[in-house]
Amino acid sequence: MRTFVKTTFAALLAGAAACAHAPAPGSFKADPEPLTAEGSAAYDARDPGASRERASLDAQKSAVRRAAELFMDETAKAGNYGVLEIGLLKTPQLYTAKTRILSEGQDGASYRVRARVWVYHGKIASALRGMNLAGSGAAAVTAALAVPGQADKSFASAFKEVFARSSPIVIKDLPFSSEENGRSFIKGGSSEEAPLSGPEPRLLEAAAAAGADLLFSASASAASSGAGLSTGFYPSRSEAALKIYEVGTGRELVALSSQASAIDSSIAASFSKSLASAGELLAQAAAGRTDRLVKQAFPVRVKVLGLGGLEELEKLRAQLLRLDLKGLRLESYSDGAAVFTAVPRRSDPQEFASTVLRGDSLGLELDGAGAQEVVFSLHR
């Protein structure tokens, strides 16, 4: 039977480690603010006080983690919890001002506490940025490159290198492989691999799952263009084609093609050179066309005034994350004022502000919307 016992009074945390390491109030720009957190530890009947301290420390750790997650974008979160554990959560006392236990007691083999923990969220945000865990903020337009039916890597490598020098659009590293029997594959969660030579919807689906805005679907082939037996050199000719799709709608934006020639002392080297040349020419053409057709996503500054604390800030952030955004990062928070950087998929601040209000459950009111900033407030 659960034997969780609630206390009838609130007590300050008496852990010696917390007293020794807690920073002095006012040491940082933002005053500490409370979060209600729970913690648990193995119950030691020989030393209930030590069990209580360990559970209280676990509640501190939970509060610091939640505060840290406010300032981390979703990309920064992925795969970085180990770094967070070592960097911040190993000594949560350094980031808390005080802890007030609301309820506590034995619960089977555990000792549990529910506590109000005042965290130095300003110091936590600074620490995250120092560890490069806050995220990159504004996100660029990204593209997935798929090269069905082409095993030679020279074409794709040349295309990516030239395109990167010519366009702000980022070609992401995606789970595409083109190394087996001249076919390309999508590597998914299943044990089987699906060939990319299938219909375009499968490519669009894979690009969407990887978070890309555009799909670059390319093909390239090379063939001998003359006999090389008498001269010892082998001329070749390659042809390449590219279709660019908008991932969200599946709409074809651009169709391009290129041709190139090369000569070398071996057939393989000649083919590789001509394919690389075709990739370079195709990349130059694609960079010129996409710069005119694709509108760069610009960040919007989102300022919200009148928040009632970190727990309401958590709700606001969760609400914004439900929108169709390319990126979201909390830049600063102090005294009920939060400033986010958001990257909408459509760069119209008025439309973005309307979308925020349609999904609002907190009671936001729009105070203003400019070219690159929208301001909301909560009136109580």
Side-chain angles (χ1 to χ4, degrees), residues 88-270:
L88 269 71
L89 303 183
K90 186 176 181 180
T91 53
Q93 313 96 311
L94 296 176
Y95 303 96
T96 59
K98 63 179 179 179
T99 302
R100 179 178 297 147
I101 296 178
L102 305 176
S103 60
E104 62 178 305
Q106 182 186 353
D107 182 12
S110 300
Y111 195 91
R112 301 185 184 276
V113 302
R114 181 172 177 269
R116 196 79 166 149
V117 183
W118 277 256
V119 297
Y120 285 106
H121 52 86
K123 185 181 181 183
I124 290 170
S126 296
L128 290 172
R129 291 190 174 99
M131 294 185 290
N132 294 320
L133 292 183
S136 58
V141 173
T142 57
L145 175 63
V147 190
Q150 179 58 54
D152 193 294
K153 295 180 180 180
S154 59
F155 169 79
S157 297
F159 181 94
K160 289 189 288 186
E161 181 178 348
V162 172
F163 190 84
R165 294 199 303 262
S166 309
S167 173
I169 297 171
V170 176
I171 295 182
K172 300 176 65 175
D173 291 330
L174 299 175
F176 294 126
S177 172
S178 57
E179 302 175 2
E180 299 183 24
N181 301 322
R183 295 186 300 166
S184 296
F185 295 90
I186 303 171
K187 290 188 180 295
S190 64
S191 59
E192 297 183 358
E193 295 177 339
L196 288 185
S197 55
E200 292 297 346
R202 300 187 69 183
L203 300 184
L204 289 169
E205 187 176 322
D213 304 291
L214 301 173
L215 168 65
F216 287 6
S217 180
S219 61
S221 62
S224 298
S225 60
L229 295 177
S230 59
T231 64
F233 290 93
Y234 298 87
S236 65
R237 184 177 180 82
S238 63
E239 296 184 352
L242 174 71
K243 288 186 177 182
I244 300 177
Y245 299 90
E246 189 177 53
V247 171
T249 63
R251 181 167 63 97
E252 182 180 314
L253 301 177
V254 176
L256 300 168
S257 62
S258 67
Q259 296 179 339
S261 300
I263 187 169
D264 203 274
S265 58
S266 75
I267 294 177
S270 180

Side-chain angles (χ1 to χ4, degrees), residues 15 48 60-61 70 73 110 115 145 180 188 212 237 250 274 294 301 309:
Q60 289 183 13
K61 183 176 179 180
L70 287 170
D73 69 13
S110 300
L145 175 63
E180 299 183 24
R237 184 177 180 82
S274 65
V294 180
R301 176 184 167 97

